[in-house]
Amino acid sequence: MNSYPDHRTLYRLPWTLPDNPIVWLEPTSACNIYCEGCYRANTKDGHKPLDEIRSDLETFARYRNFDGVSIAGGDPLTHPDIVDIAAMVQKMGYKPIINTNGVALTDDLLRELKKVGVRGYTIHVDSQQRRPGWQGKNEVELNDLRLEFAERIARVGGISCAFNATVYQDTLQHVPEVVDWAQKHIDKVHVVVFIAYRQASGAVADSIDFWVGDKKVSMDDVVYNRPAGEQRLDISSRDVVAEIRKRFPDFAPCAYLNGTEKADSLKWLLTTRMGTRSKTYGYVGPRFLELAQVLHHLRTGRFMAYAPPALLRRGKWIAAATWPVDAGVRRIVGRGLRRLLTRPWHAFHRMHLQSIMIIQPADILADGRMSMCDGCPDVTVHEGEIVWSCRLEELIKFGGFARGVRKQGRDHDVEELRVGSTPEEAQIR
Ligand code: SF4
């Protein structure tokens, strides 16, 4: 089992239930393609009316202090009022961020959404999607599609560009290629997110009963209970880090969110690098992240969602201001200065910041407890309450979240079982 990194050496992101950079708005559950890792049932007529969407935003505002709204789904671009929805978010004082598969993202729509204040896109591209024209392509080949999106977003200008991909057993090996590709386009790609694949099927189904209140429930019809076949359901954030470090041995995460039941789980694991298009100079350390989070919160009263591209390309200024407090930044500055001795013209190259987030979704422990992300950013609204968006289907089907209980008399040779899926996997729906 991989043990790197030790969570105690990282900065625990200060995000909590009531104070968090983002929320997860689902204006629709309809989608225009299929995605294997999706956690939401695709319902054709799943669009919410604008009044209900406004009411969801008011519910978020009642419970949570936040900066950005991930407008997700389903695929939000299938909603006929997507421009009005983004405008509504902006008028209420939050950053609209579109989480989409990008299939319906035309250049006209990009410009229209920019006009009403959209500040970022997270585009879900991975090889287990049924995407017209791209089926059968592997993660490396899909970098061409990612680049197409990144260039189109860059042409509109001033908008943050992020990509996410579900990580499967057979695509884990390609993660370093995607990390490498992102570095080469560090001027246009601001965040890359990898999400470990999960399902409630497999060993879990054999070992755990699920209960809501005093009723035993069957997960059979829940969308994240697809037969997993040979797929691994236990890929952890540390496994993804280990794979990346085979190619980039100095890859060093700096901050995390733990699990609600396991302090040492790395449910959201953040790595931030500084570099140019031709070279990564290094990785910022935990104190850099602490400073960034605390300063922004002191200045604005919120944790920052989606830093603007104009800030992320000021790597040299940021490094000059923060090297005294952070060892990672000091290493970056040292490498940069040494490089200037041999290639002085590099003084004119822009230094950018780019983040790589690894998400390890809901875990079921051997005794049936479910370990969620402590300080879950992606809460959505259900019946006037904020809830984990990755398990919304349980609320819809059973009226409550299922509790896992270990079957009596069963021997458990597994230390930890995992269930669930994430909304990030389903941004294309
Ligand atoms: S929605 Fe689920 S997977 Fe996503 S952050 Fe929250 S608890 Fe974690």
Side-chain angles (χ1 to χ4, degrees):
M1 185 181 144
N2 298 306
S3 58
Y4 177 85
D6 182 333
H7 69 290
R8 293 164 301 177
T9 65
L10 307 177
Y11 174 54
R12 201 296 189 177
L13 291 161
W15 308 343
T16 58
L17 188 58
D19 199 355
N20 213 295
I22 52 175
V23 293
W24 187 266
L25 179 72
E26 295 198 357
T28 183
S29 51
C31 184
N32 43 8
I33 63 173
Y34 172 83
C35 191
E36 179 60 26
C38 183
Y39 79 104
R40 290 284 277 127
N42 183 350
T43 36
K44 222 167 156 199
D45 49 359
H47 302 325
K48 289 183 184 172
L50 287 178
D51 280 353
E52 190 178 343
I53 292 167
R54 177 179 295 282
S55 158
D56 284 358
L57 287 166
E58 286 165 355
T59 301
F60 288 132
R62 188 161 62 247
Y63 286 120
R64 175 172 280 195
N65 189 24
F66 58 99
D67 189 34
V69 176
S70 292
I71 305 175
D75 193 283
L77 301 186
T78 64
H79 197 297
D81 299 321
I82 183 60
V83 177
D84 293 335
I85 295 165
M88 187 192 295
V89 170
Q90 161 76 11
K91 278 196 201 114
M92 288 175 84
Y94 304 108
K95 293 177 185 163
I97 315 291
I98 307 286
N99 289 56
T100 174
N101 55 42
V103 167
L105 189 62
T106 61
D107 285 343
D108 283 348
L109 186 55
L110 254 173
R111 280 190 291 271
E112 232 183 309
L113 287 167
K114 162 112 195 246
K115 260 192 231 146
V116 297
V118 163
R119 303 285 280 278
Y121 287 86
T122 297
I123 302 191
H124 184 185
V125 174
D126 75 45
S127 54
Q128 299 294 317
Q129 297 173 322
R130 292 185 201 150
R131 180 185 289 273
W134 293 89
Q135 268 178 262
K137 305 282 183 198
N138 66 31
E139 296 300 330
V140 182
E141 291 165 327
L142 284 168
N143 283 338
D144 291 344
L145 176 63
R146 296 185 179 103
L147 184 57
E148 229 175 74
F149 281 123
E151 287 179 338
R152 288 173 55 211
I153 290 171
R155 272 200 294 278
V156 174
I159 301 179
S160 172
C161 174
F163 289 96
N164 69 14
T166 309
V167 178
Y168 301 85
Q169 176 176 333
D170 46 351
T171 63
L172 181 59
Q173 58 177 321
H174 291 143
V175 168
E177 282 285 343
V178 180
V179 170
D180 189 39
W181 168 85
Q183 192 261 306
K184 293 191 172 87
H185 302 285
I186 197 168
D187 54 331
K188 299 185 188 76
V189 177
H190 307 107
V191 183
V192 183
V193 183
F194 297 106
I195 306 152
Y197 178 60
R198 294 288 187 269
Q199 290 293 334
S201 51
V204 173
D206 289 343
S207 308
I208 303 286
D209 284 331
F210 293 97
W211 294 76
V212 174
D214 61 356
K215 285 202 179 59
K216 197 156 131 189
V217 295
S218 161
M219 297 290 269
D220 285 355
D221 295 335
V222 176
V223 71
Y224 37 81
N225 193 50
R226 301 177 188 94
E230 297 298 300
Q231 287 286 354
R232 263 184 74 185
L233 298 173
D234 63 348
I235 296 171
S236 69
S237 297
R238 288 186 175 92
D239 293 337
V240 180
V241 170
E243 197 65 31
I244 296 172
R245 281 166 65 94
K246 284 183 194 165
R247 171 104 176 245
F248 304 102
D250 58 344
F251 184 86
C254 57
Y256 75 107
L257 286 180
N258 56 286
T260 50
E261 304 292 330
K262 287 200 85 174
D264 61 349
S265 284
L266 303 171
K267 308 292 280 184
W268 283 51
L269 181 62
L270 178 66
T271 305
T272 298
R273 61 184 168 191
M274 281 195 198
T276 62
R277 287 190 53 165
S278 57
K279 185 176 170 61
T280 294
Y281 281 86
Y283 301 86
V284 307
R287 300 192 71 179
F288 175 93
L289 246 291
E290 183 165 3
L291 189 69
Q293 295 283 322
V294 170
L295 280 184
H296 192 270
H297 202 278
L298 275 174
R299 204 166 57 78
T300 66
R302 295 176 179 178
F303 293 118
M304 189 199 278
Y306 288 74
L311 176 66
L312 296 175
R313 61 172 167 256
R314 299 226 164 95
K316 284 182 193 152
W317 291 103
I318 292 170
T322 57
W323 68 266
V325 291
D326 186 76
V329 178
R330 281 199 290 282
R331 276 193 293 278
I332 291 166
V333 171
R335 276 184 203 146
L337 291 175
R338 280 196 295 281
R339 194 152 173 96
L340 285 185
L341 293 177
T342 52
R343 296 174 177 83
W345 60 91
H346 278 211
F348 300 105
H349 290 183
R350 253 188 213 289
M351 175 92 90
H352 300 264
L353 274 84
Q354 184 185 65
S355 293
I356 295 161
M357 184 69 90
I358 301 169
I359 299 178
Q360 176 182 318
D363 294 318
I364 297 186
L365 309 188
D367 61 4
R369 281 176 299 146
M370 303 217 186
S371 189
M372 307 299 290
C373 308
D374 191 14
C376 160
D378 293 339
V379 290
T380 195
V381 173
H382 180 72
E383 295 182 350
E385 297 295 327
I386 53 173
V387 299
W388 298 307
S389 55
C390 62
R391 294 179 56 192
L392 190 57
E393 292 291 328
E394 291 162 53
L395 293 177
I396 294 168
K397 283 201 174 357
F398 310 132
F401 287 123
R403 264 177 308 115
V405 176
R406 190 169 152 161
K407 284 181 181 168
Q408 282 195 352
R410 294 299 300 253
D411 282 341
H412 288 262
D413 50 359
V414 277
E415 186 184 307
E416 186 178 28
L417 303 169
R418 300 173 199 285
V419 66
S421 182
T422 71
E424 294 79 7
E425 290 171 325
Q427 281 153 12
I428 44 98
R429 292 153 304 168

